[in-house]
Amino acid sequence: MPSASEPQDVSREQIIWQVVCSIPVGHVASYSQVAELAGFKGLARFVGRTMGQLPEGSDVPWHRVLKQDGRIAFPPESNRFYYQSRLLTEEGVPVKNGRVSMSRFRWQP
DNA sequence: AAGTTGACAGTTA
DNA sequence: ATAACTGCCAACT
């Protein structure tokens, strides 16, 4: 029996991370896309908030999740912005001006 | 209980 | 293309 103070949406986070883990290398998805695939259509912000709770050493490819227009969600010039940009580039997804071409690299399940 | 926040998105100007 | 504004909803104060 889980303690009452434990967040009860652990399964929701699991579902979201599972969807993110299914994004193939070399492809990306938007927050809203992840939300919809996870069965939480319209909850893009919730997906973003959930991503923020990922531990640093996680296997979840969080860097493959971008805004709908292909921009990185972090503030430009920030450390995380550059980090995500680097991870994507190393995977073969070019990032120009903090942005990925969704028409080319958007994951289509 | 009420107000604020946010790794978002869509519409309008 | 950019910016302002609105809608959204769970988590947090």
Side-chain angles (χ1 to χ4, degrees):
Chain A
M1 178 73 177
S3 70
S5 59
E6 201 75 16
Q8 69 281 73
D9 51 332
V10 178
S11 62
R12 276 192 301 192
E13 298 175 347
Q14 293 287 339
I15 293 170
I16 289 172
W17 289 330
Q18 183 177 345
V19 170
V20 174
C21 285
S22 65
I23 304 174
V25 178
H27 293 265
V28 297
S30 71
Y31 291 94
S32 62
Q33 186 180 357
V34 170
E36 180 164 1
L37 290 171
F40 308 118
K41 185 165 161 40
L43 298 192
R45 299 192 91 141
F46 179 74
V47 171
R49 202 194 65 76
T50 302
M51 300 297 276
Q53 296 177 354
L54 275 174
E56 198 169 309
S58 170
D59 303 328
V60 179
W62 55 268
H63 54 281
R64 295 177 196 152
V65 186
L66 306 166
K67 291 199 194 185
Q68 185 66 51
D69 62 1
R71 286 191 206 277
I72 289 178
F74 297 119
E77 311 270 322
S78 68
N79 267 346
R80 303 157 102 187
F81 176 92
Y82 288 125
Y83 183 41
Q84 181 170 11
S85 178
R86 195 185 100 228
L87 289 176
L88 285 170
T89 302
E90 287 175 355
E91 277 192 1
V93 178
V95 181
K96 314 271 187 228
N97 296 18
R99 181 184 207 177
V100 169
S101 172
M102 293 303 273
S103 58
R104 296 182 198 173
F105 298 100
R106 185 176 196 264
W107 177 39
Q108 297 169 8

